[in-house]
């Protein structure tokens, strides 16, 4: 018996507004709320709501046998909460059926897995907490931004407690291996779940392509292909952007009817549906699969070139992540919010000159060219960096800053402790005071000062050592 | 295929972009092998490169039959035309042009420039065209710019061969809307008579369709290209502390110099280590000097006066940013020249060249904020400079006259029904 494991990635960024360099240092609001709301409403009406309802209907009509998984970024959830709370309710409803799994990812749909390990950890944890608070579900399988993966990232993912990770079944790492099996990480305790990109793209990319020789794609034909895979292959991972349902393939293309017809034809052929966790539980990982270079699910090359391929992206990313440590030290909520939003991978995608022909804006978002995307982003980033710098001047080393900060943050506690000590000493001395009235206070004062100094020094020392130990 | 072209300028003696474009296009077309071009210009100096086409000087074409000897002709015009050709042309005088003042061998003199009696030169040029047309030996007629349209029409009427006209600019570009009715009339008649109209950009094509009422089906766009720079590797950029932002061109209304000054003012308010250079001369130069002074940026804003030849290339190569804020530019070849030496370029969206460039920044000419922002980005973000520098140069090297020539050839074939 074969299983289909269907999962969707959902993320739309908060759009940056047109930010001229005159604003640097004076204008600290970076977003185009109107456009962001517009996008979210568009996605809500064309994809999220109708698609969720369709999936819900499918789960109910199959008594929970139809299963599906989602990877939704934290920022997307925030935007939905703000502009389309009905979508959150609809996802809750889906979560309550028990047939839906939520996958772990970075909170900001960021490239932090490549640039900043600490940031990556923090974002994954933040995201898991968000999913838990909204849907009361735990994330067990990880699905990185755009399926970016390498052995190193796998190691981090394993350390964060995930048992499985979604990877692209990229030909250059798979070689002769089939993507319809589970694989082991070379050294960490982690199972790799390759996406069958040909079958996924048949839905996501080619479904409404009239020029495709298999057009039109019917559920019957699609299930037929799955049936015809070798009997030893027990499952197939189909991952795509959620926009494949309703945005990239419009409702008129028949994508919803295709989706609805899937369970029927699957059951006719004794094919079941499974969540990623179930796939992990029911199948054993065979061979080792290793990818020393990062891969992704993009284009034909399956590499990072759409996000990190050119100089523009290089400079923007390098500048952004140079302050990671500092931003994590700070407590300013606005800085933290901007920090997450600025990390969203789309900002860098828009700067890609790889596909830029000048005729289509498909790859540059709201911008006319990658250069414009870069200019706008860098202006925003310059202001952001200034703000971070104002809080924590770059002239101070990170470690020094860290220790100073801890001293400052702990000072109240320390004062309280010391006061307590004074009280104690006072209490102790009150008894002898009765006997020796004059000498006692004079002696006590320097003592107190000395103890206080010592504690501070000691604490500062400890804190200095602390970050080193972490590393 | 034999083409008879009427032009007004040809390198090395050029006054504007028309000559450069004529040269590039004919050279690109000559690479097709079976393309033979006869190019008529008013006043050749004899040092034109004739390796790939045949040049006829209008001032050497007899329009009035006068008795003369082979030796005398050789003595007078031998450096630009072979006497045999002269006598062959003399055989083809069919009309009486004695009203036009001619010299002892029956030729009329041309300045080859844009003199005050331009209209007279245009009509004399028409007379020359009749003689050349009667001499025959061509399949198609191609007229470059409005000055030569009457000649093209006359040649078409005489020979019955199809006429293609090449619109390098319209009077709407030159006058910012206040067209000269006489010029408009010549342009309009040329377009009406043409079998096909070639425009240097979609922008010009729209003007031709909308303002001259032409049938869109007979108007095509063939973008200009740029000749490869021979010493591209030799140009050096001197390392300096301040970044240089350059405007280069005639300082006239059409080129939008005031927007450049305004943008400079914006940039200088927030950015140090940038200098602005306005190279060239023109009727608005003094006005611009006053403007810069009144904005209080004169210490960072420099005027070079008119630059020629190699100085232009050097100026472009020394710049960190080249900017062309033209209000209306049919094509605009200088951004391509800047990109050839690796200088990041900002062009106005109202320039024809913006249609074919991807690795250049495009802004509306009136959008001073966007212009200032782009300047700031290039001088402040190293990756921006580097990307535009490398990708721009790469891109411009792919824009060749050869492919432009092939497009023109395809139009010839279509007009002649050969394809």
């Amino acid at each position: 018996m074969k299983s289909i494991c269907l999962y969707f990635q959902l993320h739309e960024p908060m759009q940056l507004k047109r930010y001229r360099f005159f604003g640097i240092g004076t204008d600290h609001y970076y977003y185009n709320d109107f456009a962001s709301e517009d996008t979210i409403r568009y996605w809500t009406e064309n994809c999220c709501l109708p698609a969720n309802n369709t999936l819900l209907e499918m789960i109910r009509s199959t008594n929970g046998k139809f299963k599906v998984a989602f990877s939704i970024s934290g920022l997307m959830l925030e935007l939905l909460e703000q502009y389309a709370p009905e979508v959150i309710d609809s996802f809750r409803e889906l979560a309550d059926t028990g047939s839906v799994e939520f996958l772990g990812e970075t909170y900001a749909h960021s490239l932090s897995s490549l640039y900043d390990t600490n940031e990556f950890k923090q974002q994954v944890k933040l995201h898991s907490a968000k999913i838990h608070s909204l849907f009361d579900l735990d994330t067990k399988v990880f699905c990185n931004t755009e399926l970016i993966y390498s052995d190193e990232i796998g190691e981090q993912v394993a350390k964060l407690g995930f048992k499985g990770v979604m990877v692209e079944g990229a030909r250059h790492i798979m070689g002769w291996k089939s993507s319809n099996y589970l694989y082991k990480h070379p050294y960490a305790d982690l199972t790799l779940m390759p996406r069958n990109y040909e079958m996924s793209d048949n839905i996501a990319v080619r479904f409404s392509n009239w020029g495709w020789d298999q057009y039109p794609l019917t559920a019957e034909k699609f299930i037929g292909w799955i049936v015809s895979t070798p009997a030893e292959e027990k499952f197939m991972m189909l991952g795509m952007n959620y926009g494949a349902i309703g945005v990239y393939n419009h409702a008129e293309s028949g994508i919803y009817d295709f989706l609805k017809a899937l369970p029927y034809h699957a059951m006719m052929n004794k094919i079941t549906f499974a969540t990623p966790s179930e796939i992990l539980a029911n199948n054993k990982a065979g061979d080792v699969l290793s990818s020393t270079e990062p891969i992704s699910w993009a284009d034909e090359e399956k590499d990072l070139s759409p996000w990190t391929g050119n100089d523009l992206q290089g400079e923007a990313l390098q500048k952004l992540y140079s302050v990671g440590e500092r931003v994590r030290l700070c407590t300013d909520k606005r800085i933290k919010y901007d920090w997450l939003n600025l990390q969203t991978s789309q900002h860098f995608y828009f700067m890609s000159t790889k596909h830029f022909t000048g005729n289509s804006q498909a790859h540059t978002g709201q911008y006319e060219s990658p250069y414009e995307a870069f200019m706008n982003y860098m202006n925003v980033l310059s202001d952001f960096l200034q703000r971070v710098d104002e809080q924590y001047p770059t002239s101070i080393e990170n470690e020094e800053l860290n220790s100073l900060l801890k001293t400052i943050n702990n000072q109240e506690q320390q004062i309280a402790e010391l006061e307590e000590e004074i009280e104690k000493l006072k209490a102790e001395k009150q008894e002898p005071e009765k006997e020796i009235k004059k000498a006692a206070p004079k002696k006590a004062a320097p003592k107190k000062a000395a103890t206080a100094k010592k504690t501070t020094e000691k604490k500062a020392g400890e804190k200095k050592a602390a970050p080193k130990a972490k590393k | 295929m034999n083409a008879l072209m009427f032009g007004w300028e040809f390198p090395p003696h050029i006054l504007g972009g028309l000559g450069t474009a004529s040269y590039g296009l004919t050279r690109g077309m000559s690479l097709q092998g079976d393309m033979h071009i006869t190019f008529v210009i008013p006043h050749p100096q004899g040092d034109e490169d004739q390796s790939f086409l045949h040049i006829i000087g209008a001032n050497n074409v007899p329009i009035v039959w006068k008795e003369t000897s082979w030796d005398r002709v050789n003595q007078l015009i031998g450096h630009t035309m072979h006497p045999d050709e002269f006598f062959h042309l003399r055989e083809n005088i069919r009309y009486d042009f004695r009203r036009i003042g001619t010299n002892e061998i029956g030729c009329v003199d041309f300045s080859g420039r844009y003199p005050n009696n331009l209209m007279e030169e245009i009509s004399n040029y028409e007379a020359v065209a009749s003689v050349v047309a009667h001499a025959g030996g061509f399949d198609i007629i191609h007229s470059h710019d409005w000055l030569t349209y009457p000649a093209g029409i006359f040649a078409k009427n005489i020979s019955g061969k199809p006429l293609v006209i090449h619109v390098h600019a319209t009077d709407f570009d030159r006058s910012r809307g206040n067209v000269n009715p006489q010029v408009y009339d010549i342009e309009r008649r040329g377009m009406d008579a043409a079998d096909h109209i070639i425009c240097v950009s979609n922008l010009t094509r729209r003007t031709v369709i909308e303002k001259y009422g032409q049938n869109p089906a007979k108007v095509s766009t063939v973008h200009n290209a740029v000749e490869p720079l021979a010493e591209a590797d030799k140009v050096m950029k001197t390392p300096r502390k301040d970044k240089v932002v350059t405007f280069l061109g005639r300082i006239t209304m059409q080129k939008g110099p005031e927007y450049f000054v305004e943008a400079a003012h914006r940039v200088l308010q927030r950015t140090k280590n940038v200098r602005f250079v306005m190279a060239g001369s023109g009727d608005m130069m003094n006005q611009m000097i006053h403007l810069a002074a009144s904005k209080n940026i004169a210490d960072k804003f420099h005027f070079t006066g008119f630059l020629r030849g190699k100085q232009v290339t050097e100026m472009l190569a020394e710049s960190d940013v080249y900017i062309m804020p033209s209000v209306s530019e049919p094509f605009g070849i200088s951004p391509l020249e800047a990109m050839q030496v690796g200088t990041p370029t900002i062009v106005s969206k109202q320039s024809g060249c913006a249609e074919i460039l991807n690795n250049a920044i495009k802004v509306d000419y009136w959008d001073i904020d966007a212009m200032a922002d782009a300047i700031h980005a290039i001088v402040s973000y190293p990756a921006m400079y580097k990307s535009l520098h490398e990708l721009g140069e790469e891109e411009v090297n792919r824009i060749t006259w050869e492919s432009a020539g092939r497009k023109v050839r395809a139009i010839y074939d279509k007009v002649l029904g050969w394809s």
Side-chain angles (χ1 to χ4, degrees):
Chain A
M1 207 164 64
K2 291 175 190 291
S3 302
I4 298 173
C5 175
L6 193 61
Y7 64 97
F8 295 108
Q9 222 175 43
L10 175 59
H11 172 78
E12 275 298 300
M14 187 82 167
Q15 266 187 36
L16 295 178
K17 68 173 179 186
R18 158 85 70 240
Y19 191 99
R20 300 281 185 215
F21 78 104
F22 320 111
I24 299 173
T26 53
D27 180 2
H28 304 319
Y29 193 75
Y30 309 142
Y31 313 102
N32 184 345
D33 298 282
F34 181 78
S36 302
E37 178 172 0
D38 198 47
T39 311
I40 295 298
R41 289 308 313 178
Y42 180 81
W43 275 71
T44 300
E45 276 143 33
N46 290 284
C47 166
C48 298
L49 274 187
N52 279 6
N53 288 338
T54 307
L55 294 174
L56 196 62
E57 195 189 308
M58 287 160 73
I59 291 169
R60 289 193 176 140
S61 65
T62 57
N63 283 329
K65 287 198 179 107
F66 178 77
K67 287 167 185 172
V68 68
F70 289 101
S71 165
I72 313 171
S73 74
L75 289 179
M76 182 66 181
L77 289 168
E78 280 183 19
L79 280 173
L80 287 172
E81 281 175 313
Q82 191 179 349
Y83 297 123
E86 65 269 35
V87 174
I88 300 282
D89 292 339
S90 149
F91 273 119
R92 271 206 191 108
E93 227 176 313
L94 277 170
D96 291 341
T97 61
S99 298
V100 172
E101 182 176 353
F102 286 89
L103 307 175
E105 76 154 305
T106 55
Y107 195 84
H109 200 76
S110 67
L111 303 174
S112 55
S113 55
L114 300 162
Y115 290 90
D116 194 333
T117 319
N118 292 333
E119 178 63 26
F120 177 63
K121 277 187 207 157
Q122 214 171 33
Q123 279 194 25
V124 173
K125 283 181 190 158
L126 198 60
H127 178 257
S128 293
K130 180 89 186 170
I131 294 288
H132 189 84
S133 76
L134 281 178
F135 307 118
D136 204 22
L137 288 174
D138 292 322
T139 52
K140 289 169 193 145
V141 174
F142 191 73
C143 176
N144 201 12
T145 313
E146 315 291 339
L147 251 56
I148 291 171
Y149 176 81
S150 69
D151 288 348
E152 230 171 290
I153 295 169
E155 196 187 341
Q156 297 298 331
V157 171
K159 275 187 193 160
L160 283 160
F162 291 97
K163 293 289 162 230
V165 63
M166 300 295 183
V167 300
E168 176 70 345
R171 214 167 275 142
H172 66 275
I173 66 155
M174 301 293 296
W176 53 267
K177 294 174 192 140
S178 158
S179 57
N180 303 335
Y181 287 99
L182 296 180
Y183 294 92
K184 276 188 237 159
H185 188 276
Y187 46 92
D189 177 22
L190 186 73
T191 306
L192 274 53
M193 314 175 77
R195 181 177 86 116
N196 187 320
Y197 70 84
E198 291 217 2
M199 286 296 273
S200 305
D201 287 354
N202 284 339
I203 300 176
V205 182
R206 288 181 279 271
F207 186 82
S208 34
N209 177 5
W210 294 14
W212 183 32
D213 58 357
Q214 297 296 333
Y215 184 89
L217 180 63
T218 59
E220 201 175 352
K221 196 193 280 181
F222 190 77
I223 296 291
W225 288 337
I226 298 180
V227 171
S228 67
T229 53
E232 309 83 67
E233 299 185 350
K234 293 294 178 204
F235 64 88
M236 187 176 281
M237 309 289 301
L238 300 175
M240 61 201 79
N241 189 307
Y242 204 21
I245 317 295
V247 176
Y248 306 128
N249 298 307
H250 294 288
E252 295 79 8
S253 70
I255 187 76
Y256 285 104
D257 299 318
F258 170 81
L259 207 58
K260 278 184 217 162
L262 271 183
Y264 172 78
H265 288 284
M267 277 162 205
M268 291 286 282
N269 290 289
K270 293 190 174 150
I271 291 173
T272 60
F273 291 89
T275 60
S277 290
E278 287 167 359
I279 297 279
L280 271 186
N282 300 334
N283 295 278
K284 271 201 156 177
D287 217 342
V288 163
L289 191 63
S290 165
S291 173
T292 44
E293 290 296 316
I295 55 166
S296 80
W297 71 3
D299 304 334
E300 283 295 308
E301 296 91 337
K302 310 286 181 200
D303 61 4
L304 298 178
S305 54
W307 300 278
T308 67
N310 68 22
D311 295 326
L312 302 175
Q313 295 159 326
E315 180 173 336
L317 281 161
Q318 185 266 324
K319 284 249 167 78
L320 173 71
Y321 281 108
S322 68
V323 294
E325 196 92 351
R326 254 143 228 276
V327 176
R328 280 192 295 281
L329 289 176
C330 93
T331 50
D332 186 328
K333 275 195 179 165
R334 285 230 51 94
I335 287 192
K336 292 241 171 199
Y337 177 76
D338 293 338
W339 166 244
L340 285 173
N341 271 299
L342 289 178
Q343 286 185 66
T344 292
S345 66
Q346 269 92 341
H347 296 313
F348 309 102
Y349 185 73
F350 295 155
M351 298 174 199
S352 174
T353 41
K354 199 174 150 192
H355 299 287
F356 183 58
T357 55
N359 301 323
S360 86
Q361 252 166 274
H363 297 280
T364 50
Q366 71 267 41
Y367 306 105
E368 276 177 35
S369 73
Y371 298 105
E372 213 172 284
F374 175 78
M375 272 194 274
N376 209 50
Y377 184 82
M378 286 308 280
N379 289 344
V380 168
L381 186 63
S382 301
D383 182 69
F384 177 75
L385 294 178
Q386 260 185 30
R387 279 164 62 204
V388 174
D389 199 52
E390 270 163 24
Q391 292 234 340
Y392 308 119
T394 27
S395 53
I396 305 174
E397 286 286 313
N398 272 340
E399 280 180 17
E400 195 187 344
L401 187 70
N402 210 350
S403 72
L404 288 173
L405 271 178
K406 284 223 170 138
T407 318
I408 294 168
N409 293 340
N410 292 345
Q411 70 188 2
E412 276 189 25
Q413 201 188 330
Q414 258 181 42
I415 290 168
E417 271 172 28
L418 294 174
E419 271 177 354
E420 221 171 274
E421 215 169 319
I422 293 168
E423 290 295 318
K424 244 190 228 168
L425 292 170
K426 268 187 187 166
E428 272 171 28
K429 264 153 227 160
Q430 262 170 5
E431 284 169 25
E433 244 174 51
K434 287 170 190 169
E435 293 156 24
I436 319 153
K437 280 178 186 172
K438 285 176 189 172
K442 276 181 190 172
K443 270 185 188 173
K447 248 192 194 175
K448 270 180 222 159
T451 14
K453 255 189 194 172
K454 265 187 190 172
T455 10
T456 332
E457 272 171 23
K458 219 182 164 187
K459 287 212 169 155
E462 273 170 15
K463 273 140 228 158
K464 260 196 180 179
K468 271 182 195 166
K470 260 187 210 167
K471 280 174 190 173
Chain B
M1 182 186 290
N2 298 311
L4 172 64
M5 286 195 188
F6 292 103
W8 203 258
E9 291 181 28
F10 203 79
H13 306 282
I14 56 170
L15 297 153
L18 178 61
T20 319
S22 304
Y23 175 84
L25 181 67
T26 48
R27 197 181 168 85
M29 289 179 75
S30 71
L31 296 172
Q32 290 163 9
D34 60 340
M35 192 76 229
H36 304 286
I37 300 167
T38 305
F39 203 94
V40 183
I41 51 171
H43 189 104
Q45 308 279 344
D47 54 355
E48 286 83 6
D49 178 7
Q50 293 207 37
S51 58
F52 55 92
L53 47 44
H54 173 57
I55 286 179
I56 293 180
N59 60 342
N60 301 331
V61 176
I63 54 171
V64 176
W65 207 96
K66 282 186 182 168
E67 194 53 56
T68 178
S69 69
W70 198 96
D71 289 331
R72 182 66 185 140
V73 171
N74 193 24
Q75 194 183 349
L76 283 172
I77 62 167
H79 63 294
T80 49
M81 184 186 277
H82 197 275
D84 288 351
E85 193 182 359
F86 174 86
F87 287 110
H88 170 66
L89 287 168
R90 199 177 64 170
E91 296 303 312
N92 290 293
I93 299 173
R94 297 280 191 282
Y95 304 116
D96 184 1
F97 286 118
R98 271 177 299 180
R99 63 183 162 82
I100 300 170
T102 53
N103 62 10
E104 60 167 296
I105 56 170
C107 298
V108 64
D109 195 30
F110 285 92
S111 72
R113 305 172 71 85
Y114 302 94
N116 291 333
N117 62 341
L118 190 58
M119 290 300 166
E120 193 189 331
E121 285 215 342
I122 291 170
S123 94
N124 291 350
Y125 193 70
E126 208 179 341
V128 168
S130 75
V131 177
V132 177
H134 279 296
F138 54 88
D139 306 303
I140 195 156
I141 308 156
H142 190 149
S143 283
H144 291 276
D145 232 15
W146 69 281
L147 302 140
T148 70
Y149 295 167
I153 299 171
F154 204 3
K156 174 185 170 169
N157 292 341
I158 289 167
S159 63
K161 305 288 183 191
L163 168 68
V164 172
I165 65 163
H166 207 122
V167 183
H168 293 267
T170 65
D171 210 43
F172 284 90
D173 303 309
R174 288 182 290 263
S175 64
R176 232 169 165 172
N178 299 319
V179 285
N180 177 337
Q182 222 180 341
V183 175
Y184 179 86
D185 180 52
I186 291 175
E187 289 180 326
R188 178 69 188 257
R189 274 193 287 141
M191 290 176 195
D192 288 346
D195 295 276
H196 207 89
I197 302 168
I198 298 174
C199 300
V200 291
S201 64
N202 295 328
L203 199 79
T204 314
R205 182 171 179 267
R206 268 198 302 282
T207 313
V208 166
I209 293 168
E210 287 163 14
K211 309 271 197 215
Y212 294 85
Q214 297 303 311
N215 176 3
K218 77 166 193 183
V219 192
S220 304
T221 301
V222 176
H223 287 106
N224 281 347
V226 65
E227 281 287 304
L229 199 64
E231 64 270 26
D233 301 329
K234 282 187 216 151
V235 290
M236 292 287 285
K237 189 159 170 287
T238 327
R240 60 180 89 233
K241 252 199 325 209
D242 290 352
K243 307 276 183 185
V244 178
V245 183
T246 303
F247 167 103
L248 197 152
R250 275 179 297 121
I251 306 177
T252 60
M253 190 170 66
Q254 188 196 346
K255 305 289 177 184
E258 66 269 38
Y259 302 103
F260 177 63
V261 182
E262 293 282 355
H265 175 59
R266 300 271 164 115
V267 174
L268 286 169
Q269 280 174 330
R270 304 293 300 262
T271 321
K272 284 171 196 156
N273 301 332
V274 195
R275 286 180 187 280
F276 292 83
V277 176
M278 188 171 267
S281 59
D283 54 7
M284 279 174 77
M285 183 155 166
N286 290 343
Q287 199 185 327
M288 289 306 114
I289 294 172
H290 282 299
L291 185 62
S294 70
K295 295 270 173 200
N296 222 355
I297 55 170
D299 58 328
K300 298 264 189 185
F301 201 100
H302 312 278
F303 292 85
T304 64
F306 187 75
L307 299 181
R308 58 182 78 242
K310 217 177 141 208
Q311 286 176 318
V312 173
T313 318
E314 277 170 7
M315 186 67 236
L316 291 174
E318 289 289 348
S319 307
D320 295 272
V321 185
Y322 172 74
I323 180 162
M324 187 178 80
S326 293
V327 174
S328 178
E329 189 74 62
F331 187 78
I333 211 138
S334 59
L336 276 68
E337 289 169 344
M339 286 162 80
Q340 278 187 318
V341 292
T343 303
T345 299
I346 303 169
V347 296
S348 70
K349 287 181 186 166
Q350 289 70 22
S351 312
C353 63
E355 292 165 16
I356 54 162
L357 294 175
N358 290 330
N359 294 292
I361 310 294
K362 297 169 213 169
V363 297
D364 284 306
Y365 71 88
W366 44 262
D367 196 347
I368 298 158
D369 282 353
M371 217 182 282
D373 204 23
I375 295 171
H376 170 264
I378 299 172
V379 301
S380 319
Y381 307 134
M384 188 84 172
Y385 177 85
K386 193 162 172 254
S387 294
L388 288 168
H389 170 76
E390 286 168 2
L391 298 176
E393 195 176 332
E394 207 181 289
E395 179 179 26
V396 79
N397 287 337
R398 283 197 304 267
I399 302 171
T400 62
W401 276 114
E402 195 184 346
S403 68
R406 275 198 298 271
K407 284 183 200 156
V408 171
R409 176 61 185 269
I411 289 167
Y412 286 180
D413 287 341
K414 201 180 117 198
V415 168
L416 289 163
W418 288 12
S419 59

